[in-house]
Amino acid sequence: MKLSCSHQSKRCKTETASMQISMPSNAVLLDLEEWLLVKDMGASWTQSCKKEFKVHKFHFHISKPELLLQPRWDIPPLLWLVYRSVMLVYTFSWFIYTALFFNTPKFLIFLSHISYCLMIIYYLVSVCNLAWAFLEIRCSPHRVKRGVSSECESLLSLSVPLKAALSLQWFLHSMMGCLSLSVSFLYWTVIHPSAQHSLTAFNINIHAINSIQTTVDLLLSATPVHLTHLYNAVLAGALYVIFAVVYWLMGGTNRFGQPYIYKILDFSGRPLVATLCILGVCLLCLPSCHFVLWNLQLLREWMVSRKKMRRIALKREVCWWVKVSGGATFDLVPSLDPTASVFETSGRTATVEDQRSQSLTLV
């Protein structure tokens, strides 16, 4: 008996030592669980990247509409609506200030101001959609089907026009996010050093706070980001280039009377530099910024779907909509299904592949 215990003790020590050796040197200070989480995150990133480029991820029709309405964290519905409304008022106030400051319609020829207008429209649509969904659910004649069945049946439903408006919101989010990061990067690396603009509150808000707003909104919300939606931002960049060329051909000038919008887009004085800048923005800057947003979404989903938080986050998602509907918080919790939408009333439209990758490849 003693010999067997001694043998088992030596065997456990040997396995523990081999486990410690197999762990990477930079993870020695982490416990085994945290190291495995980091390892799983790397594997999930690779799998998510492989599964991004599929036909059904090119469109803006989402199978789980609640992802475009609810926050990803434990934020009450009313507070979430207040947050969206405050962001709308904040951006619209700065837009009015910008219009009064320039005192000319020419302020709309700049990409930074156009992207800020898109941000205003996005917040406006998101606030309207959220209030619209709240009213539809609260005024629904049957909010939640109560019962003790093994499978949770949700009678929450959204109208077809609201679903179309949610697709528009997702489209605007994809375009606004990528353009905001691109504007900030281009301004502080190209425009500001050459023009030597003063660091006013206006410049900081339009060219720095805009990216902070985009990042915070992405991390707080549950809005998915797909790599295949890159064409959306590239198309917007191409349309702006066409506008800049047409504006130049028609003899348009900036507010200082110079024959270009930006100095780097001086087609008459430096056509080669303008062409290279256009190619760099459309082929490098915009894709890179969209890739950053996609990785921020993966980071958000990884933090939410950690082993200890997965069940809690799932309960929080369902309870959030039960609170909106005015039902009791225990109606939907006993039979949670992480792959189904709370708005599905008959059957499940998600595919098996989407069920396996629901955490990091939301559709």
Side-chain angles (χ1 to χ4, degrees):
M1 185 69 179
K2 291 182 179 179
L3 291 175
S4 62
C5 291
S6 177
H7 178 69
Q8 292 179 358
S9 176
K10 292 180 179 180
R11 183 179 179 182
C12 291
K13 291 180 179 179
T14 303
E15 292 178 351
T16 303
S18 61
M19 182 181 298
Q20 293 177 350
I21 294 174
S22 62
M23 293 177 64
S25 58
N26 59 351
V28 173
L29 298 179
L30 298 174
D31 59 3
L32 180 59
E33 182 180 0
E34 292 295 328
W35 179 73
L36 290 176
L37 285 173
V38 174
K39 183 178 179 181
D40 291 341
M41 183 182 181
S44 300
W45 187 93
T46 305
Q47 294 174 1
S48 300
C49 190
K50 292 180 179 179
K51 295 177 181 178
E52 275 297 300
F53 298 96
K54 295 185 178 180
V55 176
H56 71 278
K57 291 191 176 183
F58 276 89
H59 58 70
F60 286 91
H61 301 288
I62 193 166
S63 61
K64 295 185 68 176
E66 62 267 30
L67 295 179
L68 300 175
L69 294 169
Q70 69 188 27
R72 203 68 179 98
W73 307 95
D74 191 12
I75 303 176
L78 183 58
L79 184 59
W80 183 243
L81 180 60
V82 170
Y83 160 76
R84 292 285 200 186
S85 302
V86 169
M87 289 295 100
L88 173 61
V89 173
Y90 176 83
T91 52
F92 185 73
S93 300
W94 271 104
F95 177 78
I96 297 298
Y97 172 80
T98 303
L100 295 176
F101 177 79
F102 280 85
N103 196 26
T104 174
K106 286 187 177 182
F107 83 98
L108 289 175
I109 66 176
F110 299 103
L111 182 60
S112 55
H113 300 162
I114 294 176
S115 65
Y116 207 74
C117 289
L118 287 175
M119 180 178 291
I120 297 173
I121 298 174
Y122 163 73
Y123 280 124
L124 177 62
V125 173
S126 63
V127 169
C128 292
N129 287 344
L130 190 58
W132 190 354
F134 283 5
L135 291 175
E136 280 197 359
I137 294 172
R138 297 288 291 188
C139 298
S140 176
H142 43 271
R143 296 177 183 173
V144 177
K145 183 176 180 180
R146 297 174 179 269
V148 292
S149 60
S150 59
E151 226 177 283
C152 171
E153 294 187 36
S154 170
L155 296 180
L156 304 179
S157 61
L158 298 178
S159 61
V160 175
L162 178 54
K163 292 181 180 179
L166 289 174
S167 297
L168 174 62
Q169 176 183 328
W170 197 10
F171 173 82
L172 291 172
H173 179 272
S174 175
M175 183 182 296
M176 176 270 301
C178 189
L179 288 180
S180 296
L181 294 184
S182 300
V183 163
S184 297
F185 175 77
L186 292 173
Y187 178 80
W188 296 108
T189 58
V190 179
I191 305 297
H192 180 74
S194 60
Q196 296 181 353
H197 294 161
S198 57
L199 291 178
T200 61
F202 166 78
N203 280 333
I204 294 175
N205 179 75
I206 296 293
H207 304 111
I209 303 298
N210 63 330
S211 293
I212 296 176
Q213 286 181 262
T214 299
T215 304
V216 170
D217 186 83
L218 178 60
L219 294 178
L220 290 181
S221 69
T223 304
V225 178
H226 292 322
L227 289 179
T228 48
H229 289 170
L230 169 64
Y231 72 89
N232 188 22
V234 173
L235 178 61
L239 290 177
Y240 181 77
V241 170
I242 294 175
F243 162 76
V245 173
V246 172
Y247 187 77
W248 167 70
L249 290 175
M250 294 180 63
T253 59
N254 57 21
R255 66 192 185 103
F256 299 111
Q258 298 167 326
Y260 50 78
I261 299 177
Y262 294 102
K263 192 174 182 179
I264 60 175
L265 294 181
D266 187 2
F267 298 104
S268 57
R270 297 185 298 176
L272 180 59
V273 173
T275 304
L276 293 178
C277 288
I278 290 173
L279 293 177
V281 170
C282 293
L283 300 181
L284 294 177
C285 183
L286 290 173
S288 299
C289 291
H290 190 79
F291 187 69
V292 169
L293 291 175
W294 181 73
N295 280 276
L296 285 175
Q297 177 223 213
L298 292 187
L299 177 62
R300 178 196 69 195
E301 294 303 317
W302 176 78
M303 290 187 295
V304 172
S305 62
R306 293 180 63 174
K307 184 181 298 183
K308 294 180 180 179
M309 298 176 60
R310 186 174 298 132
R311 186 71 178 179
I312 298 175
L314 188 57
K315 289 183 178 180
R316 183 189 305 125
E317 176 179 330
V318 177
C319 290
W320 200 85
W321 286 103
V322 175
K323 291 178 182 178
V324 172
S325 67
T329 56
F330 55 81
D331 288 328
L332 295 175
V333 173
S335 53
L336 297 173
D337 184 357
T339 62
S341 169
V342 298
F343 294 106
E344 292 177 349
T345 56
S346 59
R348 298 176 184 175
T349 58
T351 61
V352 176
E353 182 177 351
D354 292 330
Q355 294 175 0
R356 294 177 180 176
S357 57
Q358 56 91 23
S359 294
L360 297 179
T361 56
L362 298 171
V363 177

